[in-house]
Amino acid sequence: MEHLDAIIIGMGPGGETVTSRLLDAGRRVAVIERELVGGECAYYACVPTKVLLRPPEAREEAAGAAGLSRPDLDWPRLRDYRDQMIRHLDDSKQVQGYQDQGASVFKGEARVIGRDPWRVAVGDTELTADHVVVATGSAPVRPPIDGLDSLDASRVWTNREATTLTDIPRSALVVGGSAVGVELGQFLSRMGAAVTIVQRGPRLVDREEPRLCDLISDQFAREGVSVRLGTQVASVTGDGDGVIATLDDGGRVRADVVVLATGRRPRTDALGLEELGVETERTGLPVDGHCRVEPGLWAIGDVTGVSLFTHVAKYQGRVVADNILGTERTADYTAVPRVIFSQPEIAGVGLTAKQAEEQGIDTATSETDLPASLARPWTYATDPRGTLGLVADRGRGVLVGAWAFGPLASEWIHTAALAIRAELPVATLLDSIPQFPTFNEAYLIALEKLDM
């Protein structure tokens, strides 16, 4: 039985991050992946969605730029490029790459079968190691809708089916109005599908500032996307080559496909940890500030239930690698950016105004309409839209939250993210010199509006 420095279970972005750092440091590492090296993000989530969203976005940008006409969309070419970017669901080059770096690569289900030292089985192979890193990610939540399990599988999509689709459906019912529902709903609509989004809560993107819901809802109204708030799908039945959904308010929606966008759950099952006395929870593997579950056992990414984002998984991978390599490091989740790649983009960081008030913070807020205040929106488009909001702590004189709706918000939200994380004084931010003309200039205007 081979003894190693570390075994990594799950090779999504978090697992890949810690693996690469340990290999670079000369450690003996084995990696175990049940599906594809690269994980959900590379094949079924972040990468394919952004590839698919970009051409419809560019088409709308061209139509809104002076002197340009709306270009045609070539779905077969876009689909081919998507397939290229997801490696045709083939990870053989990734497997070979890790083997060339000295890692032992195993494909299959991993099970932790012993401790002191940690022992892991995959197929007929058993391995031991000083450290085991669990990075098994998450799985889509399947909502309890009557009749859902009886539908033909081709009519019920999760993010996997939606991001690897070969043909655009004529109509789609999207269940859920968070990031996945908004992105996939807008993509399908812009590709010609009639889209209805059903959201159980009173707002889309309901974990963000309410104003963002107003803005994206207005955008969807402009584009003809039907949004049904405060209701949910009670039951579904097959209808020829489609689906009829009955809502709990008595409404009915017919669609070719049902797209499930109702969240994800940490994948902690079948690891064997509970049998070894390791505590697991429905919300994920509980970790301490170092991303440690128990001595020598670590967890990173979605499986921890901490901010289910790829960038958080990669950050945790860096934290764990440093701890394993002897540099003590604690994870700090202050100011994690949250982006929805709709058009315009939606971005948030830090606290909402309500969250700040609930924490007893004496808050000051401001909101700035970008086209009314800046030159950049007008150089970018002939009919621009965009808004920036800030949340500040009067007592400490710092920002604690920000939200944005506008072109490239995924990029310029990082000004607020850095300011919040580093606790840069509002006075310092007011004395900065942003490039002209940029969307980033909006921070000066929004900062000046704060009643500090």
Side-chain angles (χ1 to χ4, degrees):
M1 185 183 303
E2 184 179 7
H3 186 77
L4 301 150
D5 294 309
I7 299 169
I8 316 301
I9 303 175
M11 284 296 284
E16 289 194 300
T17 297
V18 68
T19 296
S20 295
R21 290 182 173 238
L22 294 180
L23 290 173
D24 287 346
R27 298 301 193 265
R28 295 167 300 152
V29 177
V31 303
I32 303 171
E33 171 54 52
R34 63 192 290 270
E35 293 186 293
L36 296 168
V37 172
E40 194 83 7
C41 175
Y43 299 96
Y44 303 109
C46 313
V47 171
T49 55
K50 289 9 165 216
V51 168
L52 292 172
L53 287 165
R54 180 55 186 152
E57 176 186 71
R59 179 177 61 171
E60 295 304 314
E61 287 179 343
L68 289 179
S69 299
R70 187 188 306 272
D72 293 331
L73 266 173
D74 187 332
W75 169 239
R77 288 182 62 191
L78 169 54
R79 183 178 57 201
D80 289 346
Y81 185 66
R82 184 273 318 273
D83 291 344
Q84 175 186 329
M85 287 298 295
I86 63 174
R87 308 160 186 162
H88 298 277
L89 303 182
D90 177 4
D91 67 347
S92 56
K93 289 185 178 179
Q94 283 62 45
V95 170
Q96 187 62 54
Y98 283 110
Q99 290 174 335
D100 291 345
Q101 293 178 66
S104 299
V105 180
F106 298 90
K107 299 298 284 292
E109 295 277 0
R111 188 171 180 83
V112 184
I113 59 174
R115 54 192 303 170
D116 302 322
W118 294 101
R119 195 162 82 252
V120 178
V122 53
D124 297 328
T125 302
E126 290 188 14
L127 306 165
T128 64
D130 297 328
H131 301 276
V132 170
V133 182
V134 179
T136 46
S138 61
V141 171
R142 194 173 177 91
I145 298 173
D146 287 347
L148 190 64
D149 292 340
S150 64
L151 291 179
D152 186 282
S154 66
R155 298 296 165 201
V156 182
W157 292 1
T158 65
N159 63 290
R160 290 197 169 195
E161 291 78 17
T163 56
T164 57
L165 80 171
T166 56
D167 298 301
I168 304 298
R170 292 166 300 179
S171 56
L173 170 62
V174 179
V175 184
S178 57
V180 174
V182 167
E183 289 182 359
L184 292 177
Q186 190 174 50
F187 165 72
L188 291 170
S189 174
R190 289 185 166 186
M191 295 302 293
V195 173
T196 299
I197 298 177
V198 175
Q199 166 73 333
R200 179 177 60 182
R203 303 190 307 272
L204 297 175
V205 294
D206 55 8
R207 296 185 180 181
E208 301 295 341
E209 284 286 351
R211 279 287 288 133
L212 284 172
C213 172
D214 297 338
L215 293 165
I216 190 59
S217 294
D218 179 61
Q219 181 68 31
F220 279 171
R222 291 180 177 212
E223 297 186 17
V225 177
S226 176
V227 178
R228 306 285 293 271
L229 300 174
T231 187
Q232 53 189 326
V233 179
S235 64
V236 290
T237 57
D239 178 48
D241 59 354
V243 176
I244 292 181
T246 300
L247 310 184
D248 62 1
D249 64 3
R252 286 158 65 91
V253 178
R254 192 196 183 282
D256 288 350
V257 296
V258 176
V259 183
L260 303 180
T262 47
R264 301 184 67 83
R265 60 171 181 80
R267 197 189 296 272
T268 60
D269 53 316
L271 285 169
L273 293 174
E274 291 181 337
E275 290 88 331
L276 298 176
V278 177
E279 179 185 0
T280 63
E281 297 177 357
R282 184 184 62 82
T283 54
L285 283 179
V287 294
D288 65 11
H290 305 286
C291 299
R292 179 170 46 215
V293 182
E294 292 197 5
L297 180 65
W298 313 81
I300 57 178
D302 287 6
V303 74
T304 67
V306 178
S307 293
L308 276 61
F309 301 121
T310 292
H311 42 294
V312 170
K314 295 173 73 172
Y315 170 69
Q316 291 174 322
R318 298 192 295 272
V319 169
V320 167
D322 282 352
N323 281 309
I324 290 176
L325 293 172
T327 300
E328 185 172 342
R329 185 173 175 184
T330 301
D332 179 356
Y333 303 106
T334 303
V336 174
R338 308 177 300 272
V339 174
I340 299 174
F341 289 85
S342 56
Q343 188 187 27
E345 291 181 349
I346 295 168
V349 65
L351 303 175
T352 66
K354 181 179 179 181
Q355 289 169 340
E357 291 166 2
E358 288 173 345
Q359 292 185 20
I361 295 172
D362 181 14
T363 60
T365 63
S366 70
E367 180 177 325
T368 297
D369 181 272
L370 304 190
S373 308
L374 303 178
R376 179 54 176 153
W378 294 98
T379 66
Y380 194 87
T382 57
D383 183 22
R385 303 185 71 202
T387 309
L388 170 66
L390 299 179
V391 182
D393 181 338
R394 284 194 182 94
R396 293 189 295 139
V398 297
L399 293 181
V400 293
W403 56 271
F405 181 76
L408 306 176
S410 58
E411 303 293 339
W412 45 274
I413 195 64
H414 287 87
T415 295
L418 180 59
I420 294 167
R421 189 173 183 87
E423 298 184 331
L424 296 176
V426 167
T428 299
L429 297 172
L430 282 166
D431 196 43
S432 64
I433 309 172
Q435 171 69 41
F436 174 88
T438 61
F439 291 106
N440 213 67
E441 284 186 285
Y443 284 103
L444 273 183
I445 297 167
L447 287 162
E448 289 174 345
K449 289 182 177 181
L450 288 171
D451 179 15
M452 299 292 286

